[in-house]
Amino acid sequence: MKRVAVLLIFMVLISGCATGYHQQGFTGGYTDMKLQDDIYKVGFRGNGYCRRERADNLALLRCAEVTLNNGYQYFIIIDEKSLTQASAYTAPVTANTHGTVNTYGNQAIYSGTTLYSGGQTYIYHKPSTTNTIKCFKDKPENIPVIVYDADQIRNNIKAQYHIK
């Protein structure tokens, strides 16, 4: 029982805040994969404390970094998927009984109470976003979609979320 309590405390401590901006791990993070020379699949998965907007913005930040890290300046999103995974956790039920037993000769009289706690169900949502991007060295003209300037996206999102 002591191990379960320590494990629960550890889980609360490591997941007690929104997902940070880092490579994907136990608490979420970003992923990226090269599909072709100028096409990449970039994703961000948040934990149960991460809002949808944050997951979308951090996926966009990773798109900008992938673009710049591969020698490009601009990108467009050619496919976007946003999902939210709902999960539930039910706290265990515990029972504590307190009472007294009085004996009178060969008779025993018990009086006591049992208090139950726990059993609540908590529902949490984990947002994730996956973008497939096409990168460009020069700004493309006459494209009917948003052309993102990777430098501006990186700087603005890092400033908004105080990322170094």
Side-chain angles (χ1 to χ4, degrees):
M1 185 68 176
K2 205 174 203 181
R3 258 201 255 200
V4 172
V6 170
L7 180 62
L8 285 174
I9 290 170
F10 175 73
M11 296 287 288
V12 167
L13 289 175
I14 65 169
S15 64
C17 55
T19 304
Y21 186 70
H22 51 75
Q23 195 167 19
Q24 187 169 309
F26 181 69
T27 61
Y30 62 76
T31 60
D32 54 76
M33 176 176 59
K34 183 176 185 174
L35 300 177
Q36 287 180 207
D37 287 340
D38 59 353
I39 298 178
Y40 298 85
K41 186 175 184 178
V42 178
F44 187 86
R45 182 175 57 91
N47 63 18
Y49 296 94
C50 184
R51 292 180 33 220
R52 156 71 38 220
E53 178 185 18
R54 180 180 175 89
D56 291 344
N57 287 340
L58 294 182
L60 198 59
L61 171 58
R62 188 62 190 161
C63 290
E65 289 184 340
V66 166
T67 298
L68 295 168
N69 291 344
N70 287 284
Y72 299 98
Q73 184 62 41
Y74 301 93
F75 68 94
I76 62 171
I77 297 174
I78 57 178
D79 187 40
E80 178 181 17
K81 291 185 177 101
S82 292
L83 303 170
T84 300
Q85 176 187 1
S87 299
Y89 168 75
T90 301
V93 175
T94 58
N96 290 311
T97 301
H98 299 283
T100 57
V101 176
N102 294 311
T103 57
Y104 301 101
N106 63 354
Q107 281 187 340
I109 300 173
Y110 169 78
S111 87
T113 58
T114 301
L115 299 173
Y116 297 94
S117 63
Q120 300 91 342
T121 298
Y122 302 96
I123 297 173
Y124 55 96
H125 300 87
K126 295 180 181 180
S128 65
T129 299
T130 303
N131 296 327
T132 303
I133 63 170
K134 180 171 176 55
C135 301
F136 301 91
K137 292 188 185 288
D138 299 312
K139 187 172 184 175
E141 300 296 327
N142 301 323
I143 293 183
V145 294
I146 297 173
V147 177
Y148 294 95
D149 182 319
D151 240 355
Q152 287 185 27
I153 294 294
R154 180 189 60 193
N155 294 340
N156 291 337
I157 293 176
K158 280 188 168 189
Q160 180 178 347
Y161 291 103
H162 308 288
I163 299 171
K164 295 181 182 185

